[in-house]
Amino acid sequence: DPASSFMCLLKKKKELRSLEKVVAEKKEAFRERLEVIAEQWRDLHARRTQLKAHVERSGRTVQENEMLRNQALKKASKDREENIKKENELLRAKRELEALRKQHQKLCQKLPKYSIFKRYLEDVVEVSQFRDIEEVISFYKSLMRSRKELLQSQQWHKEMTEQARVLLDQYKAEKGAEMLQCKNELVQLKQYLDQAQSDIPVWEAQWIDIQNRAARKTMKLRAIERAIHNLFQ
């Protein structure tokens, strides 16, 4: 991606300037430390010389000389510790400076690799309606935002479609269960209907038999009525 590569180039240049600034500051601090250490070494040698002259000129008692010697040893030990500490700080500063120098070299080696993208963007500006490279990058960022929004919209529609599909499957499952239950009830009702239809001839025969018996009893009742009527006559 040329625009991304150019952005990396600008970023690397910015990092390179920052590293150069940091290296300059480290060099200046390193030089100041060296001057301070040198001044302290001169002061130390001067104090040692003064202490030695003072001891040689001193005509004090053995106790005073012993006290001065102990003080001088303590002072020398303290100065030695300070010198060791400063040497360690100097060594650490040298290591930091070397690390920064290596990082600076790496950035310098990477810089030519991205210069081709800058030339490419300059050619794009020349043959397009854009005024400068920054406008090209701004237009590219706008396109990337639009693409991101489009992808988010597509993702949202996809999720909505998936949810609708899940709801439709649930609805189909529920209605399928209801239809199955209705089918089972229909089968049961059909069985009841078939049983009722099979019982109709039996009930019809019984009804005919009942009608025949009623007719015979009616005829007997009429005969009895006629007989009673004849007896009264």
Side-chain angles (χ1 to χ4, degrees):
D1 189 354
S4 299
S5 301
F6 181 69
M7 293 298 295
C8 292
L9 175 61
L10 294 178
K11 184 177 179 181
K12 294 298 181 181
K13 284 186 175 181
K14 185 176 180 181
E15 292 178 357
L16 182 60
R17 288 194 294 269
S18 299
L19 281 174
E20 290 175 350
K21 184 178 179 181
V22 171
V23 169
E25 292 176 354
K26 291 290 184 179
K27 286 182 178 180
E28 183 64 22
F30 179 71
R31 186 183 61 79
E32 292 177 355
R33 286 183 183 178
L34 287 177
E35 292 177 357
V36 172
I37 292 172
E39 184 66 24
Q40 290 177 350
W41 272 104
R42 288 192 295 269
D43 293 339
L44 178 62
H45 286 297
R47 283 183 295 198
R48 285 182 178 178
T49 303
Q50 292 175 1
L51 181 61
K52 184 177 180 180
H54 179 70
V55 171
E56 290 176 353
R57 292 193 305 268
S58 178
R60 297 178 181 178
T61 61
V62 176
Q63 186 177 1
E64 291 177 349
N65 289 333
E66 186 67 22
M67 186 181 299
L68 290 174
R69 191 176 69 85
N70 292 333
Q71 291 178 355
L73 289 174
K74 290 180 180 180
K75 182 66 175 175
S77 177
K78 185 177 180 180
D79 292 340
R80 191 183 306 108
E81 292 177 356
E82 290 180 356
N83 290 331
I84 293 173
K85 184 178 180 180
K86 292 184 184 302
E87 288 176 357
N88 291 332
E89 292 179 356
L90 181 62
L91 181 61
R92 185 168 58 252
K94 287 182 178 179
R95 290 175 180 173
E96 292 177 357
L97 183 62
E98 184 64 25
L100 290 174
R101 187 180 294 108
K102 289 181 180 179
Q103 190 173 1
H104 180 267
Q105 291 177 355
K106 289 181 180 179
L107 290 175
C108 290
Q109 292 174 358
K110 290 181 179 180
L111 189 60
K113 184 173 62 175
Y114 295 102
S115 60
I116 186 174
F117 299 107
K118 180 182 178 183
R119 292 194 298 271
Y120 173 77
L121 290 176
E122 290 174 350
D123 295 338
V124 171
V125 172
E126 290 179 0
V127 298
S128 65
Q129 72 276 14
F130 299 106
R131 293 189 298 270
D132 51 22
I133 294 176
E134 296 296 333
E135 187 174 355
V136 176
I137 295 173
S138 178
F139 182 72
Y140 170 77
K141 289 181 178 179
S142 177
L143 289 178
M144 292 301 295
R145 285 194 298 268
S146 299
R147 180 177 180 273
K148 183 178 179 181
E149 293 173 357
L150 179 61
L151 291 176
Q152 290 177 351
S153 177
Q154 290 177 351
Q155 182 66 24
W156 181 79
H157 285 294
K158 183 179 179 181
E159 292 176 356
M160 292 296 101
T161 304
E162 187 66 25
Q163 291 179 3
R165 186 180 294 109
V166 172
L167 293 175
L168 181 60
D169 293 338
Q170 292 178 355
Y171 179 78
K172 286 182 177 179
E174 292 175 357
K175 293 304 176 182
E178 293 179 0
M179 290 179 63
L180 181 61
Q181 185 178 359
C182 292
K183 286 181 180 179
N184 293 333
E185 292 177 356
L186 184 61
V187 170
Q188 189 175 4
L189 291 174
K190 189 175 183 302
Q191 291 175 356
Y192 290 156
L193 179 61
D194 294 339
Q195 182 66 33
Q197 288 177 350
S198 63
D199 292 340
I200 285 175
V202 177
W203 289 106
E204 287 179 348
Q206 291 180 358
W207 174 246
I208 293 172
D209 184 58
I210 291 171
Q211 286 180 341
N212 293 331
R213 284 184 292 175
R216 288 194 298 269
K217 288 182 179 181
T218 301
M219 293 176 63
K220 288 180 181 180
L221 182 60
R222 288 177 180 176
I224 292 170
E225 287 179 351
R226 286 195 299 273
I228 293 172
H229 182 68
N230 291 329
L231 287 175
F232 279 109
Q233 291 292 330

